[in-house]
Amino acid sequence: VSDEVMELKRVLLERYSNLHLDALHHVSEWMVRSYGDDIGDKTSIYTMLRTNKGYRGLTHPMREVEVDGKTKYLPNFKYRYFTEDIPMGLVVTRGIAELAGVPTPHMDDVILWCQEMLGKEYIVDGKLVGKDLHSTRAPQHYGFTNLDDFMEVNHYLDGPEVKTVSETAQVDPSTPVTAQ
């Protein structure tokens, strides 16, 4: 998923050359920078998660269930890790990627699995058009179908230093700039 986010960053910066995305890093780089020597094994994201001292003792909320007369525990999929982080985080990123034309097969797999666990519907036939899209902050929930419109309306392109690649290509350096 982090590779897909980094591809989205690359595409956005290619299109909007001065967009400020410096704080967006691959999760493995972020973990090493944030936790450093607290990570015992830095060979993969999996091992970083498993050997990070900062994560020791953290558990996922569970719910008790009865199976074949025995008490078992299953993840509580109604906990905020799913009910908030998916519609207000991952689905938003997926929505921006869709507008930018960036494929997100791994992100889609995560969202599809989570929506099944949550009893929600965000992605249908590879698009963010599900019946529960209204409960997200994805651009598609607000009617955006065009990346340039989304970027402009949300003021991500404000300021003279941010130009789209197409705008930069159209500027004639011999033309004087006038204040508006």
Side-chain angles (χ1 to χ4, degrees):
V1 171
S2 198
D3 289 339
E4 293 170 355
V5 173
M6 294 290 76
E7 176 62 9
L8 175 58
K9 176 182 177 179
R10 186 194 67 74
V11 167
L12 290 173
L13 289 173
E14 185 176 278
R15 186 160 184 172
Y16 310 105
S17 59
N18 293 330
L19 194 60
H20 302 289
L21 297 177
D22 297 342
L24 185 57
H25 302 283
H26 195 281
V27 70
S28 58
E29 180 186 336
W30 175 84
M31 287 184 72
V32 169
R33 287 174 45 169
S34 298
Y35 293 99
D37 291 336
D38 284 345
I39 300 171
D41 182 349
K42 298 174 183 159
T43 57
S44 71
I45 295 170
Y46 174 78
T47 60
M48 285 192 270
L49 289 168
R50 299 283 297 165
T51 64
N52 187 337
K53 291 178 187 175
Y55 295 162
R56 272 197 201 134
L58 294 181
T59 58
H60 188 284
M62 305 295 277
R63 60 185 178 89
E64 200 172 282
V65 295
E66 192 77 24
V67 178
D68 297 328
K70 295 181 182 178
T71 301
K72 303 260 181 172
Y73 295 91
L74 294 174
N76 180 355
F77 295 112
K78 302 295 184 198
Y79 197 71
R80 69 178 178 85
Y81 297 150
F82 288 92
T83 62
E84 293 175 16
D85 293 355
I86 299 304
M88 303 302 169
L90 193 58
V91 172
V92 176
T93 303
R94 168 52 170 80
I96 296 167
E98 186 173 303
L99 294 179
V102 175
T104 55
H106 297 101
M107 201 177 298
D108 289 2
D109 286 346
V110 172
I111 294 169
L112 289 167
W113 183 82
C114 288
Q115 73 183 28
E116 184 178 331
M117 296 299 111
L118 290 167
K120 299 287 185 181
E121 181 183 81
Y122 308 118
I123 297 177
V124 176
D125 297 327
K127 296 283 186 188
L128 281 176
V129 294
K131 66 178 178 58
D132 296 303
L133 194 60
H134 69 279
S135 67
T136 75
R137 291 194 177 154
Q140 291 77 358
H141 164 228
Y142 301 100
F144 290 103
T145 58
N146 176 285
L147 182 61
D148 289 333
D149 291 344
F150 171 73
M151 298 296 282
E152 185 177 327
V153 167
N154 287 288
H155 305 284
Y156 296 127
L157 304 178
D158 284 357
E161 72 284 351
V162 179
K163 297 247 184 246
T164 66
V165 172
S166 59
E167 286 175 326
T168 337
Q170 295 172 2
V171 173
D172 179 354
S174 64
T175 305
V177 177
T178 57
Q180 296 186 10

